Each structure stands twice: as C-alpha cells, then as structure tokens.
Amino acid sequence: VDFANLQVAAAGPDLQTTEKTPVAFTGTVTDPNPGNGSNFTRAWTALSPTGATVATGNGAVFNFTPTDDGVYRVLFTVT
C-alpha cells in the first residue's frame, strides 16, 4: 500500500478509568518508508475536561492519573 510517504501514528484505544486511578497509553508509529531513518520524537499531552494541560510526557509510553471525574483528552504528537 502506498501511503504517499506519510508516517502513521496511533495513541492506542480510548480508555476508561475512575478518578485517581492511573491510565497508561502506548503510542505506535508506522513509517511506510523506513529507509528514511524512522527517527521520531513522540510527545504526549493530557488535557482536563476544561482543556487545561494536566500532564505531559515523551516516548512510546505515557501514564497519567486523572484527579477528578470527567472526559480527558490525550494527544499523541509524532514529529
């Protein structure tokens, strides 16, 4: 399959937990052209229900603990 030389990133499935219980995400990157070197930087940001940043991290695995009930967003950025 030709991905037009685009890299594909995935943060894993949506997760559910209760407040004060840690959650772990594992991000994957698929490079359709590994001959480019596949030297990626992975960054994570967890956002509270109000949109405030509550945790950040780097690497393939990211853990954070929601401090209150609500829907949190976790962003996985690969550059």
Short mmCIF file of all heavy atoms in Angstrom, two decimals:
data_model
loop_
_atom_site.label_atom_id
_atom_site.label_comp_id
_atom_site.label_asym_id
_atom_site.label_seq_id
_atom_site.Cartn_x
_atom_site.Cartn_y
_atom_site.Cartn_z
N VAL A 1 0.84 -1.17 0.00
CA VAL A 1 0.00 0.00 0.00
C VAL A 1 0.89 1.24 0.00
O VAL A 1 1.83 1.33 0.78
CB VAL A 1 -0.92 0.00 1.25
CG1 VAL A 1 -1.73 1.26 1.31
CG2 VAL A 1 -1.79 -1.22 1.26
N ASP A 2 0.59 2.18 -0.86
CA ASP A 2 1.34 3.41 -0.96
C ASP A 2 0.72 4.46 -0.04
O ASP A 2 -0.41 4.89 -0.23
CB ASP A 2 1.34 3.91 -2.40
CG ASP A 2 2.14 5.18 -2.57
OD1 ASP A 2 2.77 5.64 -1.61
OD2 ASP A 2 2.14 5.71 -3.68
N PHE A 3 1.46 4.89 0.97
CA PHE A 3 1.00 5.92 1.89
C PHE A 3 1.49 7.31 1.47
O PHE A 3 1.43 8.24 2.26
CB PHE A 3 1.49 5.63 3.31
CG PHE A 3 0.80 4.49 3.97
CD1 PHE A 3 1.35 3.23 3.94
CD2 PHE A 3 -0.40 4.68 4.63
CE1 PHE A 3 0.72 2.17 4.55
CE2 PHE A 3 -1.03 3.63 5.25
CZ PHE A 3 -0.47 2.37 5.21
N ALA A 4 1.97 7.44 0.27
CA ALA A 4 2.48 8.72 -0.22
C ALA A 4 3.56 9.28 0.69
O ALA A 4 3.66 10.47 0.92
CB ALA A 4 1.35 9.73 -0.41
N ASN A 5 4.38 8.39 1.24
CA ASN A 5 5.49 8.74 2.11
C ASN A 5 5.06 9.46 3.39
O ASN A 5 5.75 10.31 3.91
CB ASN A 5 6.52 9.58 1.36
CG ASN A 5 7.88 9.49 2.02
OD1 ASN A 5 8.19 8.49 2.66
ND2 ASN A 5 8.69 10.52 1.88
N LEU A 6 3.87 9.13 3.91
CA LEU A 6 3.37 9.69 5.16
C LEU A 6 3.57 8.68 6.29
O LEU A 6 3.36 7.49 6.09
CB LEU A 6 1.88 10.02 5.06
CG LEU A 6 1.49 11.08 4.04
CD1 LEU A 6 -0.02 11.20 3.97
CD2 LEU A 6 2.11 12.42 4.39
N GLN A 7 3.94 9.18 7.45
CA GLN A 7 4.05 8.33 8.62
C GLN A 7 2.68 8.27 9.30
O GLN A 7 1.92 9.23 9.27
CB GLN A 7 5.09 8.86 9.60
CG GLN A 7 6.52 8.75 9.10
CD GLN A 7 6.90 9.86 8.15
OE1 GLN A 7 6.42 10.96 8.27
NE2 GLN A 7 7.75 9.56 7.20
N VAL A 8 2.39 7.15 9.94
CA VAL A 8 1.10 6.95 10.59
C VAL A 8 1.35 6.73 12.08
O VAL A 8 2.15 5.90 12.47
CB VAL A 8 0.36 5.74 9.99
CG1 VAL A 8 -0.96 5.52 10.66
CG2 VAL A 8 0.18 5.93 8.49
N ALA A 9 0.63 7.50 12.93
CA ALA A 9 0.78 7.39 14.38
C ALA A 9 -0.56 7.01 15.01
O ALA A 9 -1.61 7.43 14.53
CB ALA A 9 1.27 8.71 14.97
N ALA A 10 -0.50 6.24 16.09
CA ALA A 10 -1.70 5.85 16.82
C ALA A 10 -1.41 5.87 18.31
O ALA A 10 -0.37 5.37 18.76
CB ALA A 10 -2.16 4.46 16.39
N ALA A 11 -2.32 6.43 19.09
CA ALA A 11 -2.15 6.54 20.54
C ALA A 11 -2.76 5.36 21.27
O ALA A 11 -2.70 5.30 22.49
CB ALA A 11 -2.78 7.84 21.04
N GLY A 12 -3.34 4.42 20.55
CA GLY A 12 -3.98 3.29 21.20
C GLY A 12 -5.47 3.54 21.36
O GLY A 12 -5.98 4.58 20.98
N PRO A 13 -6.17 2.59 21.97
CA PRO A 13 -7.62 2.71 22.10
C PRO A 13 -8.03 3.73 23.16
O PRO A 13 -7.23 4.09 24.03
CB PRO A 13 -8.04 1.29 22.53
CG PRO A 13 -6.85 0.78 23.28
CD PRO A 13 -5.65 1.35 22.56
N ASP A 14 -9.28 4.17 23.09
CA ASP A 14 -9.84 5.00 24.16
C ASP A 14 -9.86 4.17 25.44
O ASP A 14 -10.10 2.96 25.41
CB ASP A 14 -11.27 5.44 23.81
CG ASP A 14 -11.32 6.43 22.66
OD1 ASP A 14 -10.25 6.98 22.30
OD2 ASP A 14 -12.41 6.66 22.15
N LEU A 15 -9.62 4.83 26.56
CA LEU A 15 -9.59 4.14 27.85
C LEU A 15 -10.56 4.79 28.82
O LEU A 15 -10.83 5.98 28.72
CB LEU A 15 -8.17 4.19 28.45
CG LEU A 15 -7.06 3.57 27.61
CD1 LEU A 15 -5.70 3.81 28.27
CD2 LEU A 15 -7.30 2.09 27.43
N GLN A 16 -11.05 3.98 29.77
CA GLN A 16 -11.90 4.49 30.83
C GLN A 16 -11.31 4.08 32.16
O GLN A 16 -10.77 2.98 32.31
CB GLN A 16 -13.31 3.93 30.72
CG GLN A 16 -14.07 4.43 29.52
CD GLN A 16 -15.50 3.93 29.52
OE1 GLN A 16 -15.96 3.28 30.44
NE2 GLN A 16 -16.22 4.23 28.46
N THR A 17 -11.43 4.97 33.14
CA THR A 17 -10.95 4.69 34.49
C THR A 17 -11.73 5.55 35.45
O THR A 17 -12.54 6.39 35.04
CB THR A 17 -9.43 4.93 34.61
OG1 THR A 17 -8.97 4.41 35.85
CG2 THR A 17 -9.08 6.40 34.51
N THR A 18 -11.48 5.38 36.72
CA THR A 18 -12.09 6.24 37.73
C THR A 18 -11.06 7.24 38.19
O THR A 18 -9.85 7.05 37.99
CB THR A 18 -12.59 5.41 38.92
OG1 THR A 18 -11.50 4.66 39.46
CG2 THR A 18 -13.70 4.45 38.50
N GLU A 19 -11.52 8.32 38.83
CA GLU A 19 -10.57 9.34 39.28
C GLU A 19 -9.55 8.75 40.23
O GLU A 19 -9.82 7.79 40.95
CB GLU A 19 -11.30 10.51 39.93
CG GLU A 19 -12.01 10.19 41.22
CD GLU A 19 -12.71 11.39 41.80
OE1 GLU A 19 -13.84 11.67 41.37
OE2 GLU A 19 -12.13 12.03 42.67
N LYS A 20 -8.36 9.29 40.16
CA LYS A 20 -7.21 8.89 40.97
C LYS A 20 -6.72 7.47 40.67
O LYS A 20 -6.00 6.88 41.46
CB LYS A 20 -7.50 9.08 42.45
CG LYS A 20 -7.79 10.54 42.78
CD LYS A 20 -7.94 10.77 44.25
CE LYS A 20 -8.05 12.24 44.54
NZ LYS A 20 -9.35 12.81 44.50
N THR A 21 -7.10 6.94 39.51
CA THR A 21 -6.60 5.64 39.06
C THR A 21 -5.76 5.86 37.81
O THR A 21 -6.24 6.42 36.82
CB THR A 21 -7.76 4.68 38.74
OG1 THR A 21 -8.57 4.53 39.90
CG2 THR A 21 -7.25 3.32 38.30
N PRO A 22 -4.47 5.46 37.82
CA PRO A 22 -3.60 5.72 36.66
C PRO A 22 -4.07 5.01 35.39
O PRO A 22 -4.67 3.93 35.45
CB PRO A 22 -2.25 5.15 37.10
CG PRO A 22 -2.35 4.88 38.55
CD PRO A 22 -3.79 4.76 38.89
N VAL A 23 -3.80 5.64 34.27
CA VAL A 23 -4.03 5.03 32.97
C VAL A 23 -2.72 5.08 32.19
O VAL A 23 -1.90 5.98 32.37
CB VAL A 23 -5.15 5.73 32.17
CG1 VAL A 23 -6.49 5.47 32.78
CG2 VAL A 23 -4.91 7.20 32.03
N ALA A 24 -2.52 4.10 31.32
CA ALA A 24 -1.29 4.01 30.52
C ALA A 24 -1.66 3.90 29.05
O ALA A 24 -2.53 3.12 28.68
CB ALA A 24 -0.46 2.81 30.95
N PHE A 25 -0.98 4.70 28.24
CA PHE A 25 -1.16 4.68 26.80
C PHE A 25 0.15 4.24 26.15
O PHE A 25 1.23 4.60 26.62
CB PHE A 25 -1.51 6.07 26.27
CG PHE A 25 -2.84 6.58 26.74
CD1 PHE A 25 -2.96 7.24 27.96
CD2 PHE A 25 -3.97 6.39 25.98
CE1 PHE A 25 -4.18 7.71 28.40
CE2 PHE A 25 -5.20 6.86 26.41
CZ PHE A 25 -5.30 7.52 27.63
N THR A 26 0.04 3.50 25.06
CA THR A 26 1.22 3.10 24.29
C THR A 26 1.01 3.58 22.86
O THR A 26 0.07 3.14 22.18
CB THR A 26 1.43 1.58 24.32
OG1 THR A 26 1.59 1.17 25.68
CG2 THR A 26 2.66 1.19 23.52
N GLY A 27 1.87 4.47 22.41
CA GLY A 27 1.76 5.01 21.06
C GLY A 27 2.64 4.23 20.09
O GLY A 27 3.74 3.81 20.43
N THR A 28 2.13 4.06 18.90
CA THR A 28 2.89 3.37 17.86
C THR A 28 3.03 4.28 16.65
O THR A 28 2.18 5.13 16.39
CB THR A 28 2.21 2.05 17.43
OG1 THR A 28 0.90 2.34 16.94
CG2 THR A 28 2.12 1.08 18.60
N VAL A 29 4.11 4.07 15.93
CA VAL A 29 4.38 4.81 14.69
C VAL A 29 4.73 3.80 13.62
O VAL A 29 5.58 2.93 13.83
CB VAL A 29 5.54 5.80 14.87
CG1 VAL A 29 5.79 6.56 13.58
CG2 VAL A 29 5.28 6.75 16.02
N THR A 30 4.07 3.91 12.48
CA THR A 30 4.38 3.06 11.34
C THR A 30 4.91 3.96 10.23
O THR A 30 4.22 4.87 9.78
CB THR A 30 3.13 2.32 10.85
OG1 THR A 30 2.59 1.58 11.94
CG2 THR A 30 3.46 1.39 9.70
N ASP A 31 6.12 3.72 9.83
CA ASP A 31 6.74 4.51 8.77
C ASP A 31 6.68 3.68 7.49
O ASP A 31 7.34 2.65 7.38
CB ASP A 31 8.18 4.84 9.12
CG ASP A 31 8.85 5.76 8.12
OD1 ASP A 31 8.27 6.01 7.05
OD2 ASP A 31 9.95 6.24 8.43
N PRO A 32 5.88 4.11 6.51
CA PRO A 32 5.80 3.37 5.26
C PRO A 32 7.11 3.33 4.49
O PRO A 32 7.27 2.52 3.60
CB PRO A 32 4.74 4.10 4.45
CG PRO A 32 4.12 5.09 5.35
CD PRO A 32 5.00 5.25 6.54
N ASN A 33 8.05 4.21 4.85
CA ASN A 33 9.34 4.23 4.18
C ASN A 33 10.44 4.22 5.23
O ASN A 33 11.06 5.25 5.50
CB ASN A 33 9.45 5.47 3.28
CG ASN A 33 10.70 5.44 2.43
OD1 ASN A 33 11.51 4.53 2.53
ND2 ASN A 33 10.85 6.45 1.59
N PRO A 34 10.72 3.06 5.86
CA PRO A 34 11.71 3.01 6.93
C PRO A 34 13.12 3.38 6.47
O PRO A 34 13.99 3.64 7.29
CB PRO A 34 11.65 1.57 7.43
CG PRO A 34 10.94 0.80 6.39
CD PRO A 34 10.11 1.78 5.60
N GLY A 35 13.33 3.46 5.17
CA GLY A 35 14.62 3.89 4.66
C GLY A 35 14.95 5.33 5.02
O GLY A 35 16.09 5.76 4.94
N ASN A 36 13.94 6.09 5.46
CA ASN A 36 14.15 7.48 5.87
C ASN A 36 14.83 7.58 7.23
O ASN A 36 15.21 8.67 7.63
CB ASN A 36 12.81 8.23 5.92
CG ASN A 36 12.25 8.48 4.55
OD1 ASN A 36 12.97 8.57 3.58
ND2 ASN A 36 10.94 8.57 4.46
N GLY A 37 14.94 6.49 7.94
CA GLY A 37 15.62 6.51 9.23
C GLY A 37 14.71 6.31 10.42
O GLY A 37 15.14 5.90 11.47
N SER A 38 13.44 6.60 10.29
CA SER A 38 12.46 6.41 11.37
C SER A 38 12.90 7.03 12.69
O SER A 38 12.70 6.46 13.75
CB SER A 38 12.17 4.91 11.55
OG SER A 38 11.63 4.38 10.37
N ASN A 39 13.53 8.19 12.64
CA ASN A 39 13.94 8.89 13.86
C ASN A 39 12.82 9.84 14.28
O ASN A 39 12.77 10.99 13.85
CB ASN A 39 15.23 9.69 13.61
CG ASN A 39 16.38 8.77 13.28
OD1 ASN A 39 16.50 7.70 13.83
ND2 ASN A 39 17.21 9.19 12.35
N PHE A 40 11.92 9.35 15.13
CA PHE A 40 10.75 10.11 15.52
C PHE A 40 10.86 10.61 16.95
O PHE A 40 11.41 9.93 17.81
CB PHE A 40 9.49 9.26 15.39
CG PHE A 40 9.22 8.77 14.00
CD1 PHE A 40 9.37 7.43 13.69
CD2 PHE A 40 8.85 9.65 13.00
CE1 PHE A 40 9.13 6.97 12.40
CE2 PHE A 40 8.61 9.20 11.72
CZ PHE A 40 8.75 7.86 11.41
N THR A 41 10.27 11.76 17.18
CA THR A 41 10.09 12.27 18.53
C THR A 41 8.62 12.10 18.88
O THR A 41 7.74 12.49 18.09
CB THR A 41 10.47 13.76 18.61
OG1 THR A 41 11.84 13.89 18.26
CG2 THR A 41 10.25 14.32 20.00
N ARG A 42 8.34 11.51 20.04
CA ARG A 42 6.97 11.27 20.48
C ARG A 42 6.68 12.14 21.68
O ARG A 42 7.44 12.14 22.65
CB ARG A 42 6.79 9.80 20.83
CG ARG A 42 6.98 8.87 19.65
CD ARG A 42 7.26 7.44 20.13
NE ARG A 42 7.39 6.50 19.03
CZ ARG A 42 8.51 6.27 18.36
NH1 ARG A 42 9.62 6.91 18.67
NH2 ARG A 42 8.55 5.40 17.38
N ALA A 43 5.57 12.88 21.64
CA ALA A 43 5.18 13.75 22.75
C ALA A 43 3.71 13.51 23.10
O ALA A 43 2.88 13.27 22.22
CB ALA A 43 5.41 15.21 22.38
N TRP A 44 3.41 13.58 24.38
CA TRP A 44 2.06 13.36 24.89
C TRP A 44 1.61 14.58 25.69
O TRP A 44 2.41 15.20 26.39
CB TRP A 44 2.04 12.16 25.83
CG TRP A 44 2.40 10.86 25.21
CD1 TRP A 44 3.66 10.34 25.05
CD2 TRP A 44 1.51 9.89 24.67
NE1 TRP A 44 3.59 9.11 24.46
CE2 TRP A 44 2.28 8.80 24.22
CE3 TRP A 44 0.12 9.83 24.54
CZ2 TRP A 44 1.72 7.67 23.65
CZ3 TRP A 44 -0.44 8.70 23.97
CH2 TRP A 44 0.35 7.63 23.53
N THR A 45 0.31 14.88 25.61
CA THR A 45 -0.30 15.93 26.43
C THR A 45 -1.66 15.43 26.89
O THR A 45 -2.47 15.00 26.06
CB THR A 45 -0.48 17.23 25.64
OG1 THR A 45 0.78 17.64 25.11
CG2 THR A 45 -1.04 18.34 26.51
N ALA A 46 -1.91 15.48 28.19
CA ALA A 46 -3.22 15.14 28.74
C ALA A 46 -3.93 16.44 29.09
O ALA A 46 -3.35 17.31 29.75
CB ALA A 46 -3.09 14.26 29.96
N LEU A 47 -5.18 16.56 28.64
CA LEU A 47 -5.97 17.76 28.88
C LEU A 47 -7.16 17.41 29.78
O LEU A 47 -7.84 16.41 29.57
CB LEU A 47 -6.49 18.33 27.55
CG LEU A 47 -5.43 18.68 26.51
CD1 LEU A 47 -6.10 19.11 25.20
CD2 LEU A 47 -4.53 19.78 27.03
N SER A 48 -7.42 18.29 30.75
CA SER A 48 -8.55 18.11 31.66
C SER A 48 -9.86 18.37 30.92
O SER A 48 -9.85 18.86 29.78
CB SER A 48 -8.43 19.07 32.83
OG SER A 48 -8.70 20.39 32.39
N PRO A 49 -10.99 18.10 31.55
CA PRO A 49 -12.27 18.40 30.91
C PRO A 49 -12.44 19.88 30.54
O PRO A 49 -13.19 20.20 29.63
CB PRO A 49 -13.30 17.98 31.98
CG PRO A 49 -12.61 16.89 32.74
CD PRO A 49 -11.17 17.34 32.79
N THR A 50 -11.70 20.78 31.21
CA THR A 50 -11.78 22.21 30.87
C THR A 50 -10.77 22.61 29.80
O THR A 50 -10.72 23.77 29.40
CB THR A 50 -11.56 23.08 32.12
OG1 THR A 50 -10.23 22.84 32.62
CG2 THR A 50 -12.59 22.78 33.19
N GLY A 51 -9.92 21.66 29.37
CA GLY A 51 -8.92 21.95 28.34
C GLY A 51 -7.56 22.34 28.87
O GLY A 51 -6.66 22.63 28.09
N ALA A 52 -7.39 22.34 30.18
CA ALA A 52 -6.09 22.68 30.76
C ALA A 52 -5.13 21.48 30.67
O ALA A 52 -5.55 20.34 30.83
CB ALA A 52 -6.26 23.08 32.23
N THR A 53 -3.86 21.76 30.43
CA THR A 53 -2.86 20.71 30.41
C THR A 53 -2.64 20.20 31.83
O THR A 53 -2.36 20.98 32.73
CB THR A 53 -1.53 21.23 29.83
OG1 THR A 53 -1.76 21.64 28.47
CG2 THR A 53 -0.45 20.16 29.85
N VAL A 54 -2.79 18.89 32.03
CA VAL A 54 -2.61 18.31 33.37
C VAL A 54 -1.41 17.38 33.44
O VAL A 54 -0.96 17.04 34.53
CB VAL A 54 -3.88 17.58 33.85
CG1 VAL A 54 -5.02 18.57 34.06
CG2 VAL A 54 -4.30 16.49 32.88
N ALA A 55 -0.89 16.95 32.30
CA ALA A 55 0.30 16.09 32.29
C ALA A 55 0.91 16.11 30.90
O ALA A 55 0.21 16.28 29.90
CB ALA A 55 -0.05 14.66 32.69
N THR A 56 2.24 15.95 30.83
CA THR A 56 2.94 15.83 29.56
C THR A 56 3.97 14.72 29.68
O THR A 56 4.34 14.31 30.78
CB THR A 56 3.66 17.14 29.18
OG1 THR A 56 4.59 17.47 30.20
CG2 THR A 56 2.68 18.29 28.99
N GLY A 57 4.42 14.22 28.54
CA GLY A 57 5.44 13.19 28.55
C GLY A 57 6.03 12.99 27.18
O GLY A 57 5.56 13.56 26.18
N ASN A 58 7.07 12.17 27.12
CA ASN A 58 7.76 11.84 25.87
C ASN A 58 7.96 10.33 25.81
O ASN A 58 7.99 9.67 26.84
CB ASN A 58 9.12 12.53 25.81
CG ASN A 58 8.98 14.04 25.76
OD1 ASN A 58 8.38 14.57 24.85
ND2 ASN A 58 9.52 14.70 26.76
N GLY A 59 8.14 9.82 24.61
CA GLY A 59 8.40 8.40 24.44
C GLY A 59 7.17 7.64 23.99
O GLY A 59 6.11 8.20 23.77
N ALA A 60 7.32 6.33 23.87
CA ALA A 60 6.24 5.49 23.35
C ALA A 60 5.14 5.24 24.38
O ALA A 60 4.00 4.99 24.02
CB ALA A 60 6.81 4.16 22.86
N VAL A 61 5.48 5.31 25.67
CA VAL A 61 4.51 5.03 26.73
C VAL A 61 4.25 6.28 27.54
O VAL A 61 5.18 7.04 27.85
CB VAL A 61 5.02 3.89 27.64
CG1 VAL A 61 4.06 3.64 28.79
CG2 VAL A 61 5.25 2.62 26.84
N PHE A 62 2.97 6.51 27.89
CA PHE A 62 2.58 7.68 28.67
C PHE A 62 1.60 7.24 29.74
O PHE A 62 0.64 6.52 29.48
CB PHE A 62 1.92 8.71 27.75
CG PHE A 62 1.38 9.92 28.46
CD1 PHE A 62 2.22 10.81 29.10
CD2 PHE A 62 0.02 10.17 28.46
CE1 PHE A 62 1.71 11.93 29.73
CE2 PHE A 62 -0.50 11.29 29.08
CZ PHE A 62 0.35 12.17 29.73
N ASN A 63 1.88 7.66 30.97
CA ASN A 63 0.99 7.38 32.10
C ASN A 63 0.56 8.69 32.74
O ASN A 63 1.36 9.61 32.86
CB ASN A 63 1.73 6.56 33.18
CG ASN A 63 2.23 5.25 32.65
OD1 ASN A 63 1.46 4.34 32.40
ND2 ASN A 63 3.53 5.15 32.46
N PHE A 64 -0.70 8.76 33.15
CA PHE A 64 -1.14 9.89 33.95
C PHE A 64 -2.33 9.45 34.79
O PHE A 64 -2.97 8.44 34.52
CB PHE A 64 -1.44 11.12 33.09
CG PHE A 64 -2.87 11.27 32.64
CD1 PHE A 64 -3.72 12.15 33.28
CD2 PHE A 64 -3.33 10.56 31.56
CE1 PHE A 64 -5.03 12.29 32.86
CE2 PHE A 64 -4.63 10.71 31.13
CZ PHE A 64 -5.49 11.57 31.78
N THR A 65 -2.60 10.24 35.83
CA THR A 65 -3.69 9.92 36.75
C THR A 65 -4.69 11.07 36.76
O THR A 65 -4.36 12.17 37.19
CB THR A 65 -3.15 9.70 38.17
OG1 THR A 65 -2.17 8.64 38.13
CG2 THR A 65 -4.25 9.32 39.14
N PRO A 66 -5.91 10.82 36.28
CA PRO A 66 -6.92 11.87 36.35
C PRO A 66 -7.29 12.16 37.81
O PRO A 66 -7.47 11.23 38.59
CB PRO A 66 -8.12 11.30 35.58
CG PRO A 66 -7.79 9.89 35.26
CD PRO A 66 -6.38 9.62 35.64
N THR A 67 -7.36 13.42 38.17
CA THR A 67 -7.61 13.78 39.56
C THR A 67 -9.09 13.99 39.87
O THR A 67 -9.45 14.13 41.04
CB THR A 67 -6.84 15.07 39.91
OG1 THR A 67 -7.26 16.10 39.01
CG2 THR A 67 -5.35 14.86 39.80
N ASP A 68 -9.93 14.03 38.84
CA ASP A 68 -11.35 14.27 39.05
C ASP A 68 -12.13 13.55 37.95
O ASP A 68 -11.58 13.18 36.92
CB ASP A 68 -11.64 15.77 39.02
CG ASP A 68 -12.93 16.15 39.74
OD1 ASP A 68 -13.63 15.25 40.23
OD2 ASP A 68 -13.23 17.35 39.82
N ASP A 69 -13.44 13.37 38.19
CA ASP A 69 -14.29 12.77 37.16
C ASP A 69 -14.35 13.68 35.93
O ASP A 69 -14.15 14.89 36.03
CB ASP A 69 -15.72 12.58 37.69
CG ASP A 69 -15.80 11.52 38.77
OD1 ASP A 69 -14.96 10.61 38.77
OD2 ASP A 69 -16.70 11.63 39.62
N GLY A 70 -14.64 13.09 34.77
CA GLY A 70 -14.81 13.87 33.56
C GLY A 70 -14.13 13.20 32.39
O GLY A 70 -13.49 12.16 32.51
N VAL A 71 -14.28 13.82 31.23
CA VAL A 71 -13.67 13.32 30.00
C VAL A 71 -12.37 14.08 29.77
O VAL A 71 -12.37 15.31 29.63
CB VAL A 71 -14.62 13.51 28.79
CG1 VAL A 71 -13.94 13.06 27.51
CG2 VAL A 71 -15.91 12.72 29.02
N TYR A 72 -11.28 13.35 29.75
CA TYR A 72 -9.95 13.91 29.50
C TYR A 72 -9.56 13.58 28.07
O TYR A 72 -9.95 12.53 27.54
CB TYR A 72 -8.92 13.31 30.46
CG TYR A 72 -9.07 13.77 31.88
CD1 TYR A 72 -10.10 13.30 32.68
CD2 TYR A 72 -8.17 14.67 32.44
CE1 TYR A 72 -10.24 13.72 33.99
CE2 TYR A 72 -8.30 15.09 33.75
CZ TYR A 72 -9.35 14.61 34.52
OH TYR A 72 -9.47 15.03 35.82
N ARG A 73 -8.77 14.45 27.46
CA ARG A 73 -8.24 14.18 26.13
C ARG A 73 -6.74 13.95 26.25
O ARG A 73 -6.05 14.67 26.99
CB ARG A 73 -8.49 15.37 25.19
CG ARG A 73 -9.95 15.54 24.85
CD ARG A 73 -10.19 16.72 23.93
NE ARG A 73 -9.36 16.62 22.74
CZ ARG A 73 -8.96 17.66 22.05
NH1 ARG A 73 -9.27 18.88 22.40
NH2 ARG A 73 -8.20 17.51 20.97
N VAL A 74 -6.25 12.95 25.53
CA VAL A 74 -4.81 12.68 25.50
C VAL A 74 -4.36 12.82 24.05
O VAL A 74 -4.88 12.14 23.17
CB VAL A 74 -4.48 11.29 26.06
CG1 VAL A 74 -3.00 10.99 25.91
CG2 VAL A 74 -4.90 11.19 27.53
N LEU A 75 -3.41 13.72 23.83
CA LEU A 75 -2.89 13.97 22.49
C LEU A 75 -1.53 13.32 22.34
O LEU A 75 -0.68 13.42 23.21
CB LEU A 75 -2.77 15.48 22.26
CG LEU A 75 -4.00 16.32 22.59
CD1 LEU A 75 -3.69 17.81 22.42
CD2 LEU A 75 -5.17 15.92 21.72
N PHE A 76 -1.33 12.66 21.20
CA PHE A 76 -0.08 11.99 20.88
C PHE A 76 0.44 12.64 19.60
O PHE A 76 -0.21 12.58 18.56
CB PHE A 76 -0.32 10.50 20.68
CG PHE A 76 0.87 9.69 20.30
CD1 PHE A 76 2.04 9.74 21.04
CD2 PHE A 76 0.82 8.83 19.22
CE1 PHE A 76 3.13 8.96 20.71
CE2 PHE A 76 1.91 8.04 18.88
CZ PHE A 76 3.06 8.11 19.63
N THR A 77 1.61 13.29 19.70
CA THR A 77 2.19 14.00 18.57
C THR A 77 3.52 13.37 18.19
O THR A 77 4.36 13.15 19.06
CB THR A 77 2.42 15.49 18.92
OG1 THR A 77 1.19 16.05 19.37
CG2 THR A 77 2.93 16.26 17.72
N VAL A 78 3.67 13.07 16.92
CA VAL A 78 4.91 12.48 16.42
C VAL A 78 5.50 13.40 15.38
O VAL A 78 4.82 13.82 14.44
CB VAL A 78 4.66 11.08 15.81
CG1 VAL A 78 5.94 10.49 15.26
CG2 VAL A 78 4.02 10.15 16.84
N THR A 79 6.78 13.75 15.58
CA THR A 79 7.46 14.61 14.60
C THR A 79 8.76 13.97 14.19
O THR A 79 9.27 13.09 14.85
CB THR A 79 7.74 16.01 15.17
OG1 THR A 79 8.46 15.88 16.39
CG2 THR A 79 6.45 16.77 15.43
#
